[in-house]
Amino acid sequence: MTHLLRRLAFYLVTAWAAITVNFFLPHLMPGDPVQNAIARSQGKLTPQAIDALRAQFGLAGNESLWSRYLGYWGQLFHGDLGISTSFYPARVGTVLGSALPWTLLLVGSATVISFVLGTLVGTLVAWRRGSWLDSVLPVSTFFQAVPYFFFALIVLIVLGSDLGWFPITGGVDPSIDPGLSAAFIGSAIYHGILPMITIVVSSIAGWILGMRNMMVTTMDEDYVLVAAAKGLPNRKVIGYAARNAILPSVSSFSLSLSFVVAGALLTEIVFSYPGIGFQLLQAVQAEDFPLLQGIFLVITFAVLAANLLADVCYALLDPRTRQEA
């Protein structure tokens, strides 16, 4: 418990530093959201409209940077991330709320599937090393070496365009009313199959190789050899070895979950998938600083939460962590 409390305090300090950088970095960049809005309107905004925009974006008056910083913290405590300039007058929270579920559905499911399959296959390949199962490694490594956006284009052209098995754009059929209906959920899953295949095939090799190498090392440990010599079933022996071999994969998996929020940017662009990664690209192109701040803030907290989850899993799986604490 003491170890986890120390880690939690560390993450709180890290979160404060990340929020501070997230506030000051856009303010140090040239221009501001109002100037960008004036440029996009081509001089059609009246002085009254410009003053109103400055008031909405917290740029009115002669407020110091420190006052704006304190006001930014006040907004965060009230769950207000500001107004998006590219989706004006929508709030940043509303824009993120419409994109985040798509990314969680696609990249989150693909990451979990890739981790589970890769870990199981890696364990099996290590247990049956020297057999035909070793051929899985070069095949999976080949697909990982191919740039995933290039592989996404191949999947899009072959399975989507030429064969017509799957839709090639969007996250759902636009003719279906949004909601938790069977038709909407089925359409969302159907549209997510191609990008999910791309992410799983491109990332599974790392899980297979990592688990296979750790299993090979762990299976030479004395406790595994003793368990096998005592005549225990293979299932139990594999379980003893896998529990220790999976520890490095837990850390990697937690980091993978943290980057789920960022989304597979290029994959979402190729398939025109309405996730947060595609939203990030639009925010950069439109110089939408409030939306960029909101996206970076969500990604930061996702990374911190995933690392904290990894620490908890380590404490549960590895008793040495608790003893050192």
Side-chain angles (χ1 to χ4, degrees):
M1 180 61 69
T2 305
H3 170 71
L4 293 179
L5 289 177
R6 284 204 301 263
R7 298 299 295 174
L8 181 60
F10 168 76
Y11 290 135
L12 289 176
V13 175
T14 305
W16 167 80
I19 292 173
T20 301
V21 172
N22 192 39
F23 169 80
F24 282 105
L25 191 60
H27 285 78
L28 296 176
M29 298 175 65
D32 57 49
V34 177
Q35 292 181 3
N36 295 331
I38 294 174
R40 286 197 301 271
S41 67
Q42 298 179 350
K44 296 180 181 179
L45 290 177
T46 63
Q48 293 79 7
I50 294 175
D51 292 339
L53 286 175
R54 289 192 176 279
Q56 283 188 326
F57 291 118
L59 302 175
N62 296 319
E63 271 191 308
S64 64
L65 195 59
W66 174 251
S67 300
R68 296 178 185 175
Y69 175 66
L70 295 179
Y72 181 66
W73 273 100
Q75 287 182 337
L76 291 182
F77 282 125
H78 289 87
D80 183 11
L81 298 177
I83 300 175
S84 171
T85 59
S86 56
F87 294 91
Y88 184 83
R91 314 293 298 185
V92 171
T94 304
V95 178
L96 293 178
S98 63
L100 191 57
W102 294 103
T103 294
L104 294 178
L105 173 66
L106 172 64
V107 190
S109 301
T111 301
V112 172
I113 292 173
S114 179
F115 171 75
V116 173
L117 287 180
T119 301
L120 293 177
V121 173
T123 302
L124 184 60
V125 170
W127 184 256
R128 299 294 184 184
R129 62 185 184 278
S131 65
W132 63 271
L133 288 174
D134 282 338
S135 61
V136 173
L137 289 176
V139 173
S140 59
T141 304
F142 168 78
F143 283 106
Q144 187 176 27
V146 177
Y148 69 91
F149 61 88
F150 179 73
F151 180 67
L153 287 172
I154 295 177
V155 171
L156 182 68
I157 294 173
V158 175
L159 300 181
S161 180
D162 294 344
L163 298 178
W165 290 353
F166 302 99
I168 60 177
T169 59
V172 70
D173 190 341
S175 63
I176 299 177
D177 295 330
L180 295 179
S181 62
F184 182 83
I185 296 175
S187 178
I189 295 174
Y190 185 50
H191 279 71
I193 290 178
L194 284 186
M196 188 174 296
I197 290 176
T198 301
I199 298 173
V200 171
V201 174
S202 299
S203 61
I204 196 173
W207 302 114
I208 295 176
L209 187 61
M211 190 62 186
R212 188 256 184 195
N213 293 341
M214 287 302 303
M215 276 292 294
V216 170
T217 302
T218 306
M219 286 167 57
D220 291 332
E221 297 289 340
D222 292 339
Y223 69 92
V224 178
L225 297 177
V226 170
K230 293 173 89 173
L232 293 178
N234 289 339
R235 178 176 57 83
K236 288 189 176 182
V237 177
I238 293 176
Y240 289 144
R243 181 177 178 180
N244 288 276
I246 202 175
L247 287 175
S249 296
V250 170
S251 178
S252 300
F253 179 64
S254 66
L255 292 177
S256 298
L257 285 180
S258 64
F259 290 110
V260 163
V261 179
L265 176 59
L266 294 179
T267 301
E268 292 183 355
I269 293 174
V270 170
F271 293 98
S272 299
Y273 198 81
I276 200 170
F278 188 64
Q279 204 72 264
L280 177 61
L281 175 66
Q282 291 180 315
V284 172
Q285 291 175 336
E287 297 182 350
D288 189 347
F289 294 154
L291 183 56
L292 283 173
Q293 283 181 310
I295 292 175
F296 290 150
L297 193 64
V298 171
I299 294 175
T300 298
F301 278 101
V303 172
L304 294 177
N307 279 275
L308 180 60
L309 178 62
D311 288 336
V312 174
C313 292
Y314 259 99
L316 294 176
L317 294 174
D318 192 351
R320 292 172 296 182
T321 304
R322 299 192 295 269
Q323 292 172 1
E324 290 174 2

